[in-house]
């Protein structure tokens, strides 16, 4: 379901957000699309950028060097800050990564202490042959890039955003009721992810009663339709939107990494206006199918 922009064969309509139609996901690179979004037009951003090394399509997350990944995200959120209203909020969900390969190569055996006698995996181990994502470990450079290190990418990004002028207002721990197993590894098995609340100003809107807790517990969910490997559950944006006291059609919720459109579906269900950007054309189509279905089932929602 392609989206035509104003000036590219599309006439302006009531409720357009700059050149973009409301309540739809627009196909393209979010950094380029953000340049055409009016400054100070967004009330709330709820987003989860692609995690480093887990992307199988084009776009942010496929960089070989995690420092390049952080620099690209910092640039995107620098632009996003200008698009947010002075009292607006950003909810940011981002997963971390270890500096180890997802796809092992035979030469990677020299880095590993796994396997028989702690001398690396057997040359016939399935880790070398099982098709997974493309990321390799980035070795060398800064001390934090040593092999096997948990890179701390969410923390490094949040600190960079604070240097850009964002105000860090809190951290929420999403405790997963059904986390993915991580195998026999010599470290704690991850059963949570974090959400970071950032603002342009301390004078932002936020729900006071009942107070918003710092630990949210809910499960991932099965969703019918096209596969999106990193889709977050609808409960996550629902809690973010409700905690931000965002409501009504005059409230614009933006997801610049919209994926399959979960933020948009929830925003529409809560009566808000939505805009999303996504670089993967297949996911754009899936997202707009979901949003159109919502509009059919709830034309006045």
């Amino acid at each position: 379901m392609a989206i035509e922009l104003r000036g590219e064969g599309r006439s302006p309509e009531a409720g357009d957000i700059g050149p973009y139609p409301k309540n739809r996901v627009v196909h393209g690179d979010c950094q380029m699309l953000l340049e055409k979004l009016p400054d100070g037009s967004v009330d709330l951003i709820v987003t989860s950028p692609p995690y480093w090394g887990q992307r199988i399509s084009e776009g942010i997350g496929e960089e070989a060097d995690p420092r390049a990944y952080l620099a690209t995200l910092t640039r995107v959120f620098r632009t996003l800050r200008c698009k947010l209203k002075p009292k607006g909020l950003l909810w940011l969900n981002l997963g971390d990564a270890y500096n180890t390969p997802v796809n092992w190569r035979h030469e990677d055996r020299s880095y590993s202490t796994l396997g028989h006698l702690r001398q690396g995996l057997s040359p016939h181990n399935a880790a070398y042959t099982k098709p997974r994502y493309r990321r390799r470990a980035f070795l060398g450079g800064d001390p934090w890039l040593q092999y096997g290190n948990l890179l701390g990418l969410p923390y490094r990004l949040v600190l960079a955003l604070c240097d850009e002028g964002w105000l860090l207002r809190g951290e929420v721990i999403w405790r997963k009721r059904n986390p993915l197993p991580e195998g026999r590894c010599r470290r704690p098995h991850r059963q949570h992810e974090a959400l970071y609340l950032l603002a342009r100003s301390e004078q932002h809107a936020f729900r006071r009663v009942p107070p918003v807790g710092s630990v949210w517990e809910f499960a991932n969910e099965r969703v019918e339709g096209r596969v999106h490997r990193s889709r977050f559950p609808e409960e996550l944006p629902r809690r973010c939107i409700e905690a931000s006291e965002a409501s009504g059609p005059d409230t614009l919720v933006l997801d610049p990494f919209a994926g399959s459109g979960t933020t948009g579906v929830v925003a529409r269900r809560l009566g808000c206006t939505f805009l999303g950007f996504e670089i993967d054309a297949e996911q754009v189509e899936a997202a707009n199918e979901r949003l159109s279905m919502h509009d059919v089932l709830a034309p006045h929602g």
Side-chain angles (χ1 to χ4, degrees), residues 185-197:
C185 45
R186 292 171 292 114
R187 53 176 171 76
H189 287 208
R190 292 171 290 182
Q191 298 177 345
H192 76 283
E193 289 186 20
L195 291 92
Y196 300 95
L197 178 64

Side-chain angles (χ1 to χ4, degrees), residues 6 85 92 102 161 175 189 191 217 232 236 261 296 299:
R6 191 190 310 170
K85 293 179 180 178
L92 171 64
V102 174
L161 297 188
R175 187 181 187 278
H189 287 208
Q191 298 177 345
E217 183 174 355
F232 53 51
L236 188 149
V296 168

